[in-house]
């Protein structure tokens, strides 16, 4: 048979590749931007972003946090402006964390239950001015204790049941202030069930619980502790209540337990080093699953970017996409503003 003049004889290499790949060349679909977009499996949208931020006392205060360049603490009036910006960008929810002053801290963290503490004042102010924005609040005791632990410290032990009682009081105060979602990050046993019962008994049946079910004893929280002022306070570590970074089955059992007790959603924290946990929880329980790209993750990308060692924006967007690929329904990230702005500008990982 004679060959058409336009047909070229494949080189020996081409023939060898076609034989071993059986003609399957995966690069075909990666050739152009439109084609990459067309076959893209996961997508990042503004709806996936939740903004954590920090509160401080006073008025018109914005205090930069040294270990987190680009992130500040805001007084309540300024926090309202942040909330307006988040709503304008289409970010669904925010997660404020307070830096309370030393004079309101105590060994048992009871200021968490004060209706006029920073978090409760911020909830009321933001709900009044920006009602369309979701507010997610933590009920751990660490911003309120003199020792920086998430629970009550007695004779060197974080006592579980008393801590859980105080956490319930904090959660109720936040519900009364108007929070939308209670997200306890303390890891005390049984606190989800107690919070659910207390919410239900007080007319808050419709407030969901987002459990920080799988929170690991991680080194990546350092800059956050600087931000809320617990860095110098913290005595010892949190290994007796957070999960060991070496464990997976234990994380599944924690999540299962919290769901049984009434959690509506799960959180994995930190994020990027724990993508396997996200994937496993999502594929096991099929409930809304979130990740917290924590302060240390943020600061690492920021520092390398500032040094010119990586492209910060590209690394930020790639890390957020990784959460989607792992199965996340949303990501708490200090990059929420920047990422939302990039998405609005038409950013696309395939372009
Ligand atoms: C404690 C809490 C932590 C973070 C938020 N709340 C961990 C800790 O300090 O042990 C970390 C958030 C971050 O690193 O961005 N309840």
């Amino acid at each position: 048979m004679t060959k058409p003049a336009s047909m070229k004889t494949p080189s020996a290499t081409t023939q060898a590749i076609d034989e071993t790949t059986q003609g399957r060349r995966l690069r075909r679909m990666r050739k152009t931007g439109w084609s990459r977009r067309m076959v893209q499996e996961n997508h990042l949208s503004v709806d996936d972003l939740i903004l954590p931020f920090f509160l401080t006392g006073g008025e018109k205060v914005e205090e930069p946090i040294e270990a987190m360049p680009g992130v500040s603490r805001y007084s309540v009036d300024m926090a309202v402006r942040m909330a307006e910006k988040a709503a304008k960008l289409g970010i669904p929810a925010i997660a404020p964390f307070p830096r309370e002053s030393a004079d309101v801290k105590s060994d048992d963290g009871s200021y968490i239950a004060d209706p006029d503490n920073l978090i409760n004042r911020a909830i009321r102010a933001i709900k009044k001015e920006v009602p369309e924005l979701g507010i997610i609040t933590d009920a751990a005791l660490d911003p309120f204790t003199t020792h920086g632990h998430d629970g009550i410290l007695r004779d060197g032990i974080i006592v579980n049941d008393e801590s859980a009682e105080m956490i319930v009081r904090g959660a109720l105060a936040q519900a009364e202030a108007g929070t939308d979602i209670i997200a306890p990050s303390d890891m005390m046993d049984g606190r989800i069930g107690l919070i659910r019962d207390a919410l239900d008994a007080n007319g808050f049946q419709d407030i969901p619980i987002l459990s920080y079910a799988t929170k690991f004893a991680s080194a990546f929280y350092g800059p956050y502790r600087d931000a809320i002022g617990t860095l110098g306070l913290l005595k010892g570590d949190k290994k007796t209540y957070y999960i060991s970074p070496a464990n997976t089955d234990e994380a599944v059992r924690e999540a299962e337990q919290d769901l049984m007790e009434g959690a509506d959603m799960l959180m994995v924290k930190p994020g990027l080093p724990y993508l396997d946990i996200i994937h496993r929880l999502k594929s096991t329980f099929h409930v809304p699953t979130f990740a917290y790209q924590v302060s240390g993750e943020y600061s690492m990308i920021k520092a390398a970017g500032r040094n010119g060692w990586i492209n910060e924006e590209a690394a930020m967007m790639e890390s957020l996409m990784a959460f989607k690929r792992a199965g996340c329904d949303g990501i708490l990230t200090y990059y929420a503003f920047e990422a939302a702005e990039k998405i609005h500008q038409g950013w696309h990982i395939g372009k």
Side-chain angles (χ1 to χ4, degrees), residues 140 142 150 185 215 221 224-225 238 242 269 294-295 334:
D142 56 303
D150 297 17
S185 81
K215 184 163 182 186
Y221 306 140
Y224 164 93
R225 294 180 187 170
K238 300 192 176 184
Y242 291 176
K269 178 181 180 182
V294 299
S295 56
Y334 299 99

Side-chain angles (χ1 to χ4, degrees), residues 160-193:
N160 190 86
D161 301 8
E162 267 178 79
S163 300
E165 278 172 25
M166 188 62 82
I167 286 157
V168 169
R169 287 178 56 196
L172 273 182
Q174 291 168 5
E176 266 148 29
T179 197
D180 294 298
I181 295 178
I182 302 283
S185 81
D186 51 276
M187 295 293 289
M188 296 303 125
D189 285 327
R191 92 281 199 214
I192 298 294

Side-chain angles (χ1 to χ4, degrees), residues 56-331:
T56 191
E59 244 181 85
K60 300 218 175 338
V61 180
E62 177 182 351
E63 288 168 357
I65 296 155
E66 203 182 330
M68 301 179 76
V71 176
S72 298
R73 299 179 200 100
Y74 296 96
S75 51
V76 171
D77 55 316
M78 301 280 284
V80 173
R81 303 281 91 82
M82 299 278 289
E84 282 166 351
K85 182 175 169 188
K88 201 172 283 173
L89 282 166
I91 290 170
I94 55 170
F97 292 92
R99 181 192 214 272
E100 293 287 4
S101 56
D103 55 305
V104 298
K105 296 193 190 205
S106 59
D107 287 349
D108 67 359
S110 55
Y111 192 62
I112 192 174
D114 192 305
D116 290 320
N117 67 22
L118 262 179
I119 206 79
N120 292 330
R121 281 193 283 128
I123 293 169
R124 283 198 298 272
I126 293 168
K127 271 289 131 191
K128 184 157 169 263
E129 303 290 330
V130 201
E132 71 275 24
L133 184 72
I135 304 183
I136 303 172
T137 49
D138 189 358
L141 301 182
D142 56 303
F144 309 97
T145 52
T146 42
H147 42 74
H149 279 288
D150 297 17
I152 297 169
L153 180 67
R154 190 151 294 140
D155 300 326
I157 290 168
I158 305 300
V159 288
N160 190 86
D161 301 8
E162 267 178 79
S163 300
E165 278 172 25
M166 188 62 82
I167 286 157
V168 169
R169 287 178 56 196
L172 273 182
Q174 291 168 5
E176 266 148 29
T179 197
D180 294 298
I181 295 178
I182 302 283
S185 81
D186 51 276
M187 295 293 289
M188 296 303 125
D189 285 327
R191 92 281 199 214
I192 298 294
L194 285 184
I195 293 173
R196 186 69 271 159
D197 287 349
L199 289 173
D200 294 351
N202 287 278
F204 299 115
Q205 289 87 347
D206 293 334
I207 294 190
I209 300 175
L210 166 56
S211 177
Y212 286 78
T214 66
K215 184 163 182 186
F216 291 85
S218 170
F220 290 99
Y221 306 140
Y224 164 93
R225 294 180 187 170
D226 180 16
I228 68 152
T230 58
L231 200 56
L233 299 179
L234 192 63
K235 296 196 179 81
D237 56 46
K238 300 192 176 184
K239 287 180 184 162
T240 68
Y241 47 108
Y242 291 176
I243 306 173
S244 162
N247 294 354
T248 308
D249 284 342
E250 188 184 346
V252 175
R253 288 171 61 213
E254 270 287 356
E256 184 175 40
Q257 177 75 30
D258 286 4
L259 289 170
M260 257 165 35
E261 290 178 28
D264 300 278
M265 297 169 278
L266 299 173
M267 178 95 75
V268 176
K269 178 181 180 182
L272 220 51
Y274 296 85
L275 291 181
D276 58 322
I277 307 288
I278 296 167
H279 186 259
R280 188 150 167 212
L281 294 191
K282 184 66 184 178
S283 48
T284 305
F285 300 113
H286 310 287
V287 299
T289 303
F290 296 83
Y292 198 146
Q293 181 176 48
V294 299
S295 56
E297 299 177 66
Y298 169 87
S299 297
M300 284 196 305
I301 297 175
K302 181 63 80 179
R306 288 211 160 179
N307 276 305
W309 295 335
I310 56 170
N311 176 333
E312 183 186 351
E313 282 196 340
M316 152 182 98
M317 297 309 271
E318 184 180 331
S319 68
L320 296 173
M321 185 60 82
F323 289 112
K324 294 295 292 179
R325 199 191 62 240
C328 264
D329 296 287
I331 309 131

